[in-house]
Amino acid sequence: MHPLQCVLQVQRSLGWGPLASVSWLSLRMCRAHSSLSSTTCPSPERQEDGARKDFSSRLAAGPTFRHFLKSASAPQEKLSSEVEDPPPYLTMDELLGRQRKVYLETYGCQMNVNDTEIAWSILQKSGYLRTSNLQEADVILLVTCSIREKAEQTIWNRLHQLKALKTRRPRSRVPLRIGILGCMAERLKEEILNREKMVDVLAGPDAYRDLPRLLAVAESGQQAANVLLSLDETYADVMPVQTNPSATSAFVSIMRGCDNMCSYCIVPFTRGRERSRPVASILEEVKKLSEQGLKEVTLLGQNVNSFRDNSEVQFNNAVSTNLSRGFTTNYKAKQGGLRFAHLLDQVSRVDPEMRIRFTSPHPKDFPDEVLQLIHERDNICKQIHLPAQSGSSRVLEAMRRGYSREAYVELVHHIRESIPGVSLSSDFIAGFCGETEEDHVQTVSLLREVQYNMGFLFAYSMRQLSKRSATDLCGRNDGNLKVIFPDAEMEDVNNPGLRVRAQPGDYVLVKITSASSQTLRGHVLCRTTLKDSSENC
């Protein structure tokens, strides 16, 4: 067999997994969603017997059934000053940082910058110190991004560099601990722990409060992970610690997660469902930033202008959500709560000399009251990020964006009429699944028609849980790697002259034509059997 050919068993499935090399494929008919709860798993790193036995004995002694009943009781709103009891297998002293030094690296979007500040605020209260010197760090935490394949590859490369640092660590110092935080931890879960044994801690975007416990567990020589997503975690009571004391601007997270479920986007799977902070906690943070002399705040959220504070019962009425004209949602219409216009109004009143921005919005959530407020308030920047993603209505429908090109263009005209002199920016994806040359031409024409002040253009990145073309098939080879190939007629080796199309369960010979760290691609040669293919190898 040619070295760039492989035999696979065909599958028709919307889900596919990470790929790295070529071998045989076996059938899988469902999306593989691995899950990893707040547990610990063995690490090969050797620790002193005394510490390990002590930890094991305390772990065996608890938690009890009563502990789980207590954890399952209705959650009570807690003050930030309250101290939780330690887990049954850890002492309060073990949860403390004991002056260990933490080095934080941030990758990706503004939300990750804010997440870094939240994680550091939590660790600082537990007695950790921060260092900007990698060589003197006792704990290295990478706050990661998963939006595109390149972002994850950057982290894999960085881990290889840190592996050498961990290996050379003098025995006279405490062992170096390395943690992966954020979206990549949430998306890949145990794959990171299995692939890189030198990773000690894994924490998803909703698990930063658990960092002291995870690091305490790691000190015993265990790998520790918590990638549970939450329906209500907003870190509303955690005041982020600014990483740059001389900064004049800051990010303020107002909501987390996203419910839009655009077909290309990983965010709902890595950051969970949409939920918003209480308005009162946001205003408190903005006021403190104003008192510190900051001159600009940016309100952050994956879908920032869909903000909806349901914490006040009196505002949970049956008032329907106002969407931009001609726009729809992929979810059932939500009702009640304090909306983005109310929050923007209140934030802009805190300090008339503090500029207010917000990102990243969705075009569907620009009702007239938001546009009017931006126009009226001098300290709300006259700049709107309006992600279009494509200029083709056909591609927009495949992306599940909830609008057509015509509706988007009408919104642009309405915004410019409502806010004279407004600055517009946008995001675009080129090469989306099934996109044709005509679709691309329409996107270019939209760029020329709108004449944005700034644009962010990206080549589509084929990923797990993102959408592939409906005309493609995929299967797994002998090494359990996924291969994608076009659905086309081919010869059946057992019936010369017969032209067939691959069906689920068939073994087919595929010639590999391209590969990335996540995907193998090729074109089908023939339908075969395991016996025939092995004899021809």
Side-chain angles (χ1 to χ4, degrees):
M1 184 182 296
H2 192 278
L4 289 181
Q5 294 177 1
C6 66
V7 176
L8 56 134
Q9 189 178 29
V10 181
Q11 66 181 70
R12 292 183 184 270
S13 170
L14 290 179
W16 50 92
L19 310 174
S21 59
V22 181
S23 50
W24 290 84
L25 299 167
S26 63
L27 177 64
R28 284 193 181 274
M29 298 297 292
C30 61
R31 176 179 293 163
H33 281 293
S34 58
S35 62
L36 186 62
S37 61
S38 178
T39 57
T40 61
C41 50
S43 167
E45 186 174 346
R46 295 182 178 179
Q47 302 291 322
E48 293 187 8
D49 291 341
R52 184 181 296 276
K53 290 179 180 178
D54 178 59
F55 178 83
S56 299
S57 62
R58 281 184 283 120
L59 186 61
T64 65
F65 183 58
R66 185 179 299 277
H67 171 81
F68 287 101
L69 288 178
K70 177 182 177 182
S71 301
S73 61
Q76 301 280 328
E77 185 175 348
K78 289 182 284 200
L79 299 175
S80 58
S81 59
E82 289 185 16
V83 179
E84 293 186 1
D85 293 333
Y89 49 88
L90 292 172
T91 66
M92 183 62 74
D93 182 64
E94 287 173 316
L95 290 175
L96 299 178
R98 297 191 294 277
Q99 305 295 300
R100 281 175 292 176
K101 295 182 179 180
V102 178
Y103 181 88
L104 287 152
E105 280 188 0
T106 308
Y107 298 82
C109 66
Q110 300 98 323
M111 284 295 293
N112 280 2
V113 175
N114 185 255
D115 279 7
T116 301
E117 295 172 349
I118 289 173
W120 170 231
S121 176
I122 292 168
L123 291 173
Q124 187 181 52
K125 289 182 179 179
S126 293
Y128 287 86
L129 301 177
R130 181 133 187 214
T131 179
S132 58
N133 186 342
L134 185 66
Q135 300 299 323
E136 68 179 24
D138 302 311
V139 178
I140 299 174
L141 300 177
L142 308 183
V143 184
T144 62
C145 173
S146 251
I147 196 68
R148 302 180 74 239
E149 181 182 351
K150 184 179 179 181
E152 290 185 355
Q153 190 56 51
T154 299
I155 299 301
W156 290 123
N157 294 341
R158 184 57 169 152
L159 286 175
H160 291 157
Q161 297 169 3
L162 295 177
K163 186 175 184 178
L165 185 65
K166 191 170 186 177
T167 303
R168 296 196 304 266
R169 182 84 165 183
R171 292 190 176 184
S172 59
R173 299 179 62 185
V174 296
L176 177 63
R177 304 301 179 192
I178 296 176
I180 300 295
L181 278 55
C183 293
M184 186 171 169
E186 191 66 48
R187 192 182 87 83
L188 296 180
K189 300 180 174 68
E190 67 265 34
E191 180 182 334
I192 296 176
L193 299 180
N194 293 334
R195 179 170 166 178
E196 292 293 346
K197 300 298 184 183
M198 43 86 75
V199 173
D200 304 287
V201 168
L202 213 60
D206 292 345
Y208 300 145
R209 293 182 193 271
D210 202 25
L211 280 172
R213 183 191 70 85
L214 296 175
L215 288 170
V217 171
E219 283 305 301
S220 71
Q222 310 286 311
Q223 285 181 308
N226 185 348
V227 290
L228 293 174
L229 287 174
S230 170
L231 290 175
D232 53 19
E233 179 62 270
T234 62
Y235 300 106
D237 60 333
V238 178
M239 184 60 64
V241 176
Q242 298 295 313
T243 55
N244 183 3
S246 61
T248 58
S249 63
F251 296 118
V252 176
S253 175
I254 68 170
M255 55 89 68
R256 301 177 74 85
C258 184
D259 289 345
N260 288 325
M261 298 297 291
C262 300
S263 62
Y264 56 82
C265 188
I266 197 71
V267 168
F269 301 98
T270 59
R271 287 191 172 265
R273 299 294 300 272
E274 231 172 67
R275 64 270 189 202
S276 300
R277 283 177 64 181
V279 169
S281 73
I282 297 170
L283 294 178
E284 180 185 0
E285 183 174 345
V286 173
K287 289 175 182 176
K288 289 184 178 180
L289 293 172
S290 174
E291 292 168 358
Q292 294 170 15
L294 273 73
K295 295 300 182 182
E296 180 176 295
V297 296
T298 300
L299 306 180
L300 287 182
Q302 270 78 30
N303 189 179
V304 67
N305 53 341
S306 72
F307 176 87
R308 184 187 305 273
D309 174 15
N310 291 312
S311 64
E312 299 292 338
V313 177
Q314 64 268 32
F315 297 111
N316 290 338
N317 50 40
V319 177
S320 299
T321 300
N322 293 325
L323 298 178
S324 307
R325 288 193 291 270
F327 287 69
T328 61
T329 64
N330 292 322
Y331 49 81
K332 184 178 179 181
K334 302 175 183 178
Q335 297 180 335
L338 296 174
R339 300 304 316 282
F340 184 64
H342 174 85
L343 174 67
L344 197 58
D345 172 52
Q346 295 298 306
V347 169
S348 67
R349 294 176 185 273
V350 170
D351 183 350
E353 292 302 315
M354 174 184 278
R355 292 203 302 184
I356 310 300
R357 300 182 186 275
F358 57 89
T359 195
S360 179
H362 190 286
K364 76 178 190 313
D365 291 306
F366 276 108
D368 288 347
E369 52 265 35
V370 171
L371 301 178
Q372 182 179 354
L373 191 63
I374 296 173
H375 172 60
E376 291 177 353
R377 298 294 162 83
D378 293 335
N379 61 336
I380 301 179
C381 294
K382 307 302 183 281
Q383 183 267 325
I384 293 179
H385 187 61
L386 205 63
Q389 306 301 357
S390 176
S392 164
S393 293
R394 189 187 70 82
V395 173
L396 289 171
E397 182 178 6
M399 289 179 168
R400 291 169 53 87
R401 290 290 289 172
Y403 55 86
S404 64
R405 175 195 174 107
E406 292 72 24
Y408 180 88
V409 171
E410 182 182 345
L411 175 61
V412 169
H413 292 323
H414 183 55
I415 289 175
R416 284 182 166 154
E417 291 172 358
S418 303
I419 313 171
V422 67
S423 173
L424 295 180
S425 58
S426 190
D427 295 336
F428 287 92
I429 296 174
F432 185 70
C433 299
E435 181 177 320
T436 65
E437 182 63 28
E438 175 59 28
D439 294 323
H440 181 72
V441 169
Q442 291 182 42
T443 296
V444 174
S445 72
L446 180 63
L447 284 162
R448 290 172 175 157
E449 180 178 356
V450 176
Q451 296 185 4
Y452 299 97
N453 297 82
M454 185 179 296
F456 303 90
L457 288 73
F458 304 94
Y460 180 64
S461 176
M462 179 67 74
R463 306 292 304 285
Q464 275 184 305
L465 304 182
S466 59
K467 186 178 178 181
R468 72 166 182 268
S469 171
T471 61
D472 284 346
L473 300 176
C474 76
R476 291 188 178 273
N477 63 9
D478 196 56
N480 202 29
L481 302 174
K482 191 154 294 187
V483 177
I484 298 173
F485 59 96
D487 183 6
E489 285 191 347
M490 58 186 162
E491 182 180 358
D492 186 341
V493 295
N494 291 322
N495 297 283
L498 178 64
R499 304 290 294 179
V500 296
R501 287 185 178 274
Q503 300 297 322
D506 285 349
Y507 287 105
V508 295
L509 187 64
V510 171
K511 181 175 182 179
I512 302 302
T513 56
S514 65
S516 70
S517 62
Q518 297 286 326
T519 308
L520 297 177
R521 285 185 169 272
H523 62 262
V524 67
L525 299 178
C526 63
R527 185 166 69 181
T528 185
T529 64
L530 291 179
K531 181 180 179 180
D532 290 336
S533 59
S534 62
E535 289 176 351
N536 293 327
C537 287

